[in-house]
Amino acid sequence: TMGNWLVNHWFSAAVLAAWLGINIFLFTYYFLFFDRDEQYFYTRAILGSALAWARASAKCLNFNSMLVLLPVCRNLLSFLRGTCSCCRRTLRKQLDHNLTFHKLVAYTLALLTAVHTIAHLFNLERYNQSQQATDGSLPAVLSKMHLQGSKWLNPIHSNQTTVEYVAFTTIPGLTGVIITLALILMVTSSTEFIRRNYFELFWYTHHLFLVYFAGLVIHGIAGLVRGQTEQSMAEVHPYHCSEYLTLRDQNCTHNCCKDPEFGSIPAESWKWVLAPIILYVFERILRVWRAQQKVVVTKVVMHPARVLELQMQKKGFCMEVGQYIFVNCPSISPLEWHPFTLTSAPEEDFFSIHIRAAGDWTERLIDTFQLEIPRIEVDGPFGTASEDVFQYEVAMLVGAGIGVTPFASILKSVWYKFQQADQTLKTKKIYFYWLCRDTGAFAWFNDLLASLEQKMAESGKADFLTYRLFLTGWDTSIANNVALHFDTATDTVTGLRHKTIFGRPMWNMEFAAVAAAHPRSVVGVFLCGPEALAKSLQKSCHQHSSLDPRKVKFYFNKENF
């Protein structure tokens, strides 16, 4: 429910409300300022309300450009997470929504860029019309002022100029076009599909942010939009003198004889983005320094379906469950860093990742490791630990597809804690649900479950973990094989003691069974998987929780990996 979400995500809600509030304030304040301020009376005479639209969107563009780099300073976020380690975990966890906020700010930049560009196209068209007008109207008179030296208000000084000419020959025009192209390329190449399938395209295109910020800083330098100067306002105020501009006679004697004078609005984008750029430079220097620290690959395992497992050691490396690292292999690409969820438990004396062949970089890495062990660089670990699992007597863990990876770390860690009778572990029973199309790419996870199953049986704790595999994509050959071996002790698909179920889980039945087995427990439900599944699990948690405080309660937690 909305109430629950606000309780758990109050920090995210507060940040969103503040961000939205500041955007609305900046837009409204500057829109009214440029739409009403007397300093821009003459500018408005030529441009109308498009001036206010362009300037208000420019302020919001500066504000959001200032914010867009901060969520991707991952070392800065780790530092913040560390400094607020005494804060509640829900607060630290919300720092993991950094990429969601980054995307939100980026989409806002795209929207504001559209508003800003359209407003300026109207402005250029009006500047052009006023320059060519010969009717003696106020815009026409104002546009001829460039003939008297530096008093100009209209940046277009020739009748032959076109809007396209201004867009590609002036500093604001050209930088505006370049910035917009860079933004379009960055936004379109960062869709889920491209990130998953063509990560290199996303990675290299995103470095156009350098072009974006360089263009942004230069964009306003020429000062093409002008307003009346303070001194000129004191001498010839537009409210008294504007009507005389169109009715000028040669031998003028009254106070409004003098022409108004105009000055540029100073460039100010650099003031907004300077601090985040400096922070980001420090972030990149820190990444380079951390990457130089030696990583020893202690074991390489090639699993079926081209899945590579790397076990590594690095001095001072300290991980927690549910965290991830960035990996770079300089012999393949010195610039590319790819994120991988850690599959080892903190109790182990190494850290490990499992790499699936999914794109050019991973393919080349797997090929390289089959020939030799190249140099590997590691940055991390990042992300908040998923320690909530240990806080519930009963835990229902749901992993869908690739979302099963973090549970490797969690399940191993729970088992180690259970063996060592760790006081922080409240868990007495784990239900694990694994949904996938085919087990091929996850044979390694299968092996892990089998070894856990064996260890638990040996120590007489076989009932600590109950797991069920749901195969959502299957064909007739699998079905026939299953029919043949239906009465065997282990499963034909996975070789595990627990049978594979074909099709999707009936969540109502699963929850009802858990509720019946643990009528007085608090059950933590953890998902790493798609949004649609999150919705149905949330609904089941709600339906199967008893209103009686002494009876079963289900709490839903979605992990962001």
Side-chain angles (χ1 to χ4, degrees):
T1 62
M2 189 66 182
N4 281 355
W5 188 88
L6 282 171
V7 169
N8 292 330
H9 298 83
W10 64 268
F11 179 71
S12 299
V15 168
L16 273 181
W19 170 79
L20 197 61
I22 293 170
N23 270 303
I24 292 168
F25 167 76
L26 283 173
F27 195 92
T28 312
Y29 179 85
Y30 283 101
F31 188 93
L32 294 173
F33 177 78
F34 282 97
D35 202 45
R36 304 202 171 157
D37 194 79
E38 46 209 33
Q39 199 178 341
Y40 298 98
F41 178 89
Y42 289 122
T43 322
R44 283 194 301 276
I46 300 178
L47 301 178
S49 64
L51 169 71
W53 282 100
R55 297 307 303 172
S57 56
K59 293 289 174 189
C60 290
L61 275 166
N62 283 336
F63 172 61
N64 286 285
S65 296
M66 173 181 88
L67 294 180
V68 78
L69 281 178
L70 298 178
V72 289
C73 291
R74 51 181 189 248
N75 285 299
L76 171 73
L77 289 176
S78 280
F79 173 72
L80 286 176
R81 205 177 274 115
T83 53
C84 68
S85 55
C86 49
C87 316
R88 279 184 50 204
R89 209 183 144 275
T90 47
L91 176 62
R92 301 206 306 278
K93 191 93 191 117
Q94 286 163 68
L95 288 172
D96 291 349
H97 298 312
N98 57 327
L99 290 183
T100 310
F101 185 62
H102 174 71
K103 287 176 200 168
L104 177 66
V105 172
Y107 289 135
T108 307
L109 282 173
L111 175 70
L112 290 166
T113 300
V115 173
H116 187 71
T117 307
I118 291 164
H120 272 319
L121 287 174
F122 273 103
N123 288 338
L124 283 177
E125 193 50 51
R126 285 177 181 160
Y127 273 141
N128 213 11
Q129 284 169 356
S130 304
Q131 164 61 27
Q132 291 174 9
T134 51
D135 55 1
S137 62
L138 184 56
V141 172
L142 289 167
S143 297
K144 299 291 178 285
M145 285 200 168
H146 64 90
L147 301 171
Q148 286 121 25
S150 64
K151 294 178 181 176
W152 62 272
L153 175 61
N154 187 335
I156 297 178
H157 299 163
S158 137
N159 284 355
Q160 278 68 53
T161 308
T162 62
V163 171
E164 293 77 15
Y165 179 80
V166 175
F168 288 100
T169 57
T170 61
I171 290 176
L174 193 57
T175 54
V177 168
I178 291 168
I179 288 174
T180 307
L181 284 175
L183 196 62
I184 289 170
L185 285 169
M186 282 191 285
V187 170
T188 51
S189 69
S190 59
T191 57
E192 182 88 8
F193 176 77
I194 288 178
R195 280 204 328 275
R196 288 255 179 259
N197 299 290
Y198 307 99
F199 187 87
E200 291 81 1
L201 178 66
F202 154 73
W203 178 258
Y204 288 115
T205 312
H206 241 61
H207 281 78
L208 286 170
F209 82 91
L210 297 167
V211 174
Y212 175 86
F213 280 100
L216 188 71
V217 168
I218 302 166
H219 186 61
I221 283 175
L224 293 196
V225 176
R226 309 186 98 187
Q228 197 174 351
T229 61
E230 293 286 340
Q231 191 186 345
S232 172
M233 298 265 294
E235 291 170 356
V236 282
H237 199 281
Y239 289 0
H240 314 305
C241 302
S242 60
E243 61 207 62
Y244 293 105
L245 269 181
T246 48
L247 308 166
R248 181 69 52 81
D249 53 6
Q250 292 302 309
N251 37 11
C252 169
T253 53
H254 54 73
N255 294 340
C256 291
C257 297
K258 200 174 176 190
D259 277 340
E261 294 191 11
F262 304 100
S264 296
I265 302 169
E268 52 171 40
S269 293
W270 66 272
K271 294 177 192 170
W272 290 84
V273 298
L274 186 64
I277 286 174
I278 290 170
L279 265 177
Y280 189 76
V281 167
F282 273 116
E283 163 78 23
R284 290 304 280 244
I285 291 167
L286 193 57
R287 284 187 202 177
V288 170
W289 175 73
R290 281 172 62 145
Q292 299 310 313
Q293 295 166 321
K294 194 171 186 244
V295 175
V296 180
V297 178
T298 53
K299 192 175 179 186
V300 179
V301 185
M302 198 64 215
H303 293 282
R306 277 176 75 71
V307 173
L308 175 75
E309 179 185 351
L310 296 182
Q311 294 184 8
M312 296 166 279
Q313 287 175 331
K314 179 181 176 180
K315 198 179 166 194
F317 188 91
C318 181
M319 68 158 288
E320 295 174 82
V321 289
Q323 290 190 306
Y324 62 94
I325 55 171
F326 277 85
V327 176
N328 169 273
C329 180
S331 61
I332 294 176
S333 165
L335 292 175
E336 279 181 54
W337 288 84
H338 292 251
F340 293 97
T341 303
L342 289 160
T343 52
S344 49
E347 291 82 0
E348 291 171 310
D349 62 352
F350 60 86
F351 61 95
S352 68
I353 54 173
H354 285 72
I355 300 167
R356 228 170 27 126
D360 298 348
W361 189 87
T362 48
E363 291 277 5
R364 288 191 346 245
L365 187 76
I366 291 167
D367 291 340
T368 308
F369 266 98
Q370 284 173 324
L371 301 170
E372 53 160 352
I373 295 184
R375 188 164 77 87
I376 288 285
E377 295 177 352
V378 165
D379 191 16
F382 299 106
T384 307
S386 311
E387 285 172 339
D388 280 2
V389 179
F390 310 140
Q391 306 303 315
Y392 294 93
E393 290 169 46
V394 181
M396 289 173 76
L397 313 180
V398 184
I402 190 75
V404 80
T405 317
F407 290 119
S409 175
I410 291 168
L411 287 172
K412 281 199 274 189
S413 188
V414 166
W415 176 240
Y416 282 122
K417 281 180 167 38
F418 192 70
Q419 270 184 317
Q420 293 156 8
D422 190 319
Q423 294 307 303
T424 58
L425 182 72
K426 299 199 176 99
T427 318
K428 304 280 184 286
K429 175 75 185 175
I430 288 181
Y431 293 90
F432 180 61
Y433 304 86
W434 178 16
L435 289 65
C436 67
R437 283 181 176 281
D438 67 284
T439 53
F442 301 106
W444 64 270
F445 193 79
N446 231 20
D447 300 342
L448 179 116
L449 278 179
S451 80
L452 274 177
E453 189 173 54
Q454 194 183 343
K455 284 175 191 167
M456 286 174 191
E458 282 166 9
S459 56
K461 303 278 193 307
D463 56 348
F464 177 66
L465 172 68
T466 300
Y467 56 83
R468 320 185 61 155
L469 165 60
F470 294 87
L471 209 56
T472 55
W474 55 297
D475 55 31
T476 46
S477 66
I478 296 179
N480 293 336
N481 194 14
V482 170
L484 278 172
H485 301 88
F486 190 72
D487 53 355
T488 51
T490 58
D491 190 84
T492 54
V493 178
T494 60
L496 295 165
R497 283 201 191 86
H498 292 250
K499 297 277 182 182
T500 302
I501 300 155
F502 295 93
R504 298 186 179 282
M506 307 282 281
W507 289 117
N508 274 338
M509 285 167 63
E510 301 296 341
F511 274 79
V514 173
H518 309 277
R520 297 189 177 280
S521 291
V522 175
V523 182
V525 180
F526 294 84
L527 165 72
C528 185
E531 205 53 54
L533 186 53
K535 286 199 173 78
S536 62
L537 285 176
Q538 211 158 5
K539 196 174 160 192
S540 297
C541 284
H542 200 61
Q543 283 172 348
H544 292 272
S545 289
S546 168
L547 292 172
D548 185 336
R550 290 162 301 178
K551 294 201 177 149
V552 69
K553 281 267 182 299
F554 290 91
Y555 286 103
F556 179 71
N557 301 267
K558 183 172 189 314
E559 297 291 353
N560 291 305
F561 297 106

